[in-house]
Amino acid sequence: GEDVEQSLFLSVREGDSSVINCTYTDSSSTYLYWYKQEPGAGLQLLTYIFSNMDMKQDQRLTVLLNKKDKHLSLRIADTQTGDSAIYFCAASGGSYIPTFGRGTSLIVHP
Amino acid sequence: EAQVTQNPRYLITVTGKKLTVTCSQNMNHEYMSWYRQDPGLGLRQIYYSMNVEVTDKGDVPEGYKVSRKEKRNFPLILESPSPNQTSLYFCASRGPGGELFFGEGSRLTVL
């Protein structure tokens, strides 16, 4: 089955860019998602990209997809303390049942 | 407001005492799922349901039961809880674009 890997921690300074990386194993994955989990809350969809796209930009967020390497990244420009959260990468194919990575804890310090 | 509602949000119980965590969604979604979240392990799927009366095991179903008698409700049942089921539980439903809508979570402690 699908396996999704991401690093567990990332620490950045406020105002810098953050880049969270994710790799997946199933080349037939069609939908790739980024979810954000703030402390004490459930996950919320942040953004997503279809496998026929290379890049998607939404305000401060940029998602890059390298389908050949099965690598997904999320870039947050001008990172703020409010961006501190756990970010989950998820991949799904035709069944629409996503497989989640373990989550990357983003810590933003002044 | 579109939402997924779980109850209880917090529960402390003892080994062997049956409990049910309820989940309800008001978006008319067909697909619903239960996850548990543990430090360092991320989200692991317990059970899912593609529609009413259709349920399937996820990655970690042992010790859990579910039912789907109505589209809006998907309760998680722990018949005989054990300490290794101490965890943070999330219910989710899936929208038409494949995105998941999560509840706020239920933190369960089994002593």
Side-chain angles (χ1 to χ4, degrees):
Chain A
E2 175 81 89
D3 190 24
V4 177
E5 296 284 342
Q6 49 184 134
S7 54
L8 293 183
F9 298 98
L10 178 64
S11 178
V12 300
R13 195 178 299 277
E14 191 174 17
D16 287 350
S17 291
S18 308
V19 180
I20 303 172
N21 294 301
C22 169
T23 58
Y24 58 98
T25 56
D26 189 348
S27 57
S28 67
S29 289
T30 313
Y31 308 94
L32 299 129
Y33 306 90
W34 285 104
Y35 286 84
K36 179 182 180 182
Q37 183 184 28
E38 295 187 356
L43 282 72
Q44 284 193 306
L45 182 67
L46 198 59
T47 187
Y48 64 92
I49 190 168
F50 295 119
S51 61
N52 61 358
M53 300 166 67
D54 297 325
M55 184 182 89
K56 181 178 181 181
Q57 189 151 2
D58 183 2
Q59 299 183 335
R60 292 190 297 122
L61 305 177
T62 303
V63 179
L64 293 177
L65 174 61
N66 181 328
K67 198 174 174 185
K68 174 176 166 289
D69 294 338
K70 297 192 279 291
H71 181 269
L72 183 73
S73 68
L74 172 70
R75 179 177 180 268
I76 305 173
D78 186 24
T79 313
Q80 302 297 308
T81 55
D83 294 323
S84 293
I86 304 175
Y87 292 81
F88 289 89
C89 172
S92 68
S95 69
Y96 289 95
I97 299 175
T99 298
F100 285 85
R102 296 186 179 192
T104 299
S105 289
L106 175 63
I107 300 161
V108 182
H109 53 92
Chain B
E1 181 190 350
Q3 58 186 5
V4 177
T5 305
Q6 302 177 219
N7 279 296
R9 294 287 314 279
Y10 302 92
L11 179 62
I12 301 174
T13 189
V14 295
T15 299
K17 186 176 181 183
K18 180 179 178 179
L19 67 93
T20 299
V21 186
T22 63
C23 174
S24 180
Q25 51 96 2
N26 62 1
M27 296 169 278
N28 202 37
H29 290 163
E30 292 181 347
Y31 176 95
M32 296 184 73
S33 182
W34 275 102
Y35 296 87
R36 60 178 288 175
Q37 183 180 18
D38 301 288
L41 297 178
L43 282 177
R44 292 181 293 170
Q45 191 177 46
I46 303 170
Y47 269 95
Y48 65 96
S49 169
M50 300 294 279
N51 212 327
V52 175
E53 301 291 1
V54 180
T55 62
D56 280 294
K57 295 178 180 179
D59 298 319
V60 288
E62 294 78 21
Y64 305 95
K65 286 174 61 176
V66 293
S67 70
R68 188 89 184 275
K69 293 183 171 58
E70 313 160 90
K71 188 181 264 192
R72 64 182 293 125
N73 295 322
F74 189 43
L76 179 69
I77 303 153
L78 286 73
E79 293 270 4
S80 182
S82 61
N84 65 10
Q85 292 178 297
T86 292
S87 188
L88 178 59
Y89 292 87
F90 287 102
C91 179
S93 68
R94 188 176 67 201
E99 72 277 24
L100 292 178
F101 294 82
F102 284 85
E104 290 288 296
S106 297
R107 186 168 291 282
L108 171 65
T109 301
V110 183
L111 302 175

